[in-house]
Amino acid sequence: MIKGVYIHIPFCHQICHYCDFNKVFFKNQPVDAYIETLGLEMKMFVERNRDQLHIETIFLGGGTPTALSATQLQRLFVLIKQYIPQDFLQEFTTEANPDELTHDKLVVMKNNGINRLSIGVQSFNEDILSRLGRTHSNQHVYKTIQMAKDIGFTNISIDLMYGLPGQTMEQWKDTLEKALELDLLHYSAYSLIVEPKTVFYNLMTKGKLILPGEDLEADMYEVLMNEMESKGINQYEISNFAKPDFHSKHNNLYWDNVSYAGFGAGAHGYANGIRYANIGPIKKYMDAIESGDFPVNSTHEVTANERMEEEMFLGLRKVSGVNKHHFEEKFGVSMEEVYGQALSKHISRGSIVIKSDTVALTRKGRFIGNEIFQSFLME
């Protein structure tokens, strides 16, 4: 069953220096026509896959969904409501920039069923924000979150980043302190990964990007886990923390390796055993749909071995880990038969633990997650 929907809005008023997602500057783009094209893609997909749909989550990402005007957002929500069955919908999230969330936009979102906000804060140090290419200030964050609460939003998450250029431990601790003072239900915190085709990558190749070393980055991660735990914000995934019952349902679909639909230029999806990626360039994406074609750029039929690999390296991201009985029911073979050697190695190193019928990373293992995940990839 297809349980999730991801909708990509590829427009930004400012391009962040670390971002490698499919995006373009908002100015002079066919934004209104793109929204209508999104509707056509949703219509085509739903008509073909209606019997497979049990939609529990919708996620608007980008780019920046809040780059759209209130009027444009309203039109987008009309199309979503028209084409996406919502009988089983539990969570409807949008990403947002603090300096773009106006009162009018928040009201439109609330009136159209958005019940979770994911706000890109990244840091409470304004020098670092400038270095990242962010345009908001701390005051934007405080004002926006209070405005959202006043309108009736309760499920609010913010994104933070560490391991940033020139970032010190003191700056990271100050960001965490200010973030936790907001007393939100959910926090995501990611270490910087320098990706190709970004401003940071270009600076790095020229030797002009000074990053904290691996040891300091690991210390920042440990401080993150300790501070969240001290405030009752439970870690449920390598980079995500929440109060009880407020895990991201949409992201859990990814980690549980569940099928989801992806709509929009450059969006990715996983349906009927096939992972697919849409055409990235906006005009080519729109032209494909207007010609009556699905705007798919590439597809990959996931093999049985790959499904097992994904079950392990996605599931191990969760603190709760991977259930051995579920694995055997799903694939007809025990986890030990396939991964006994890798499991033994990591158990002996203290990076994986087996509790009852569940395999999970230990706290030590969370520091070297990527290394562990590699060991579950079959030749």
Side-chain angles (χ1 to χ4, degrees), residues 154-166:
T154 55
N155 193 356
I156 300 172
S157 175
I158 61 173
D159 286 355
L160 303 172
M161 296 181 72
Y162 60 95
L164 299 172

Side-chain angles (χ1 to χ4, degrees), residues 311-312 315-316 318 320-331 335 355-360:
E311 191 80 9
M312 295 302 293
L316 283 172
K318 301 180 296 179
S320 61
V322 183
N323 185 284
K324 293 199 296 179
H325 295 312
H326 178 73
F327 184 96
E328 188 164 355
E329 288 173 1
K330 193 169 184 178
F331 301 111
M335 193 183 294
K355 295 180 179 178
S356 181
D357 60 355
T358 299
V359 176

Side-chain angles (χ1 to χ4, degrees), residues 74 78 98 131 143 151 164 169 180 187 193 204 216 255 270 340 356:
Q74 177 62 38
V78 166
R131 236 172 280 157
K143 178 182 176 182
I151 288 170
L164 299 172
M169 178 62 83
L180 288 166
Y187 296 87
I193 298 175
M204 186 175 71
L216 179 53
W255 304 319
Y270 179 36
S356 181

Side-chain angles (χ1 to χ4, degrees), residues 3 16 52 54 63 66 74 108 121 192 194 225 256 272-273 329 331 373:
K3 294 188 176 183
C16 299
Q52 296 291 315
H54 189 284
T66 49
Q74 177 62 38
V108 167
V121 173
L192 174 68
V194 180
M225 290 193 288
D256 288 340
N272 304 313
E329 288 173 1
F331 301 111
F373 302 152

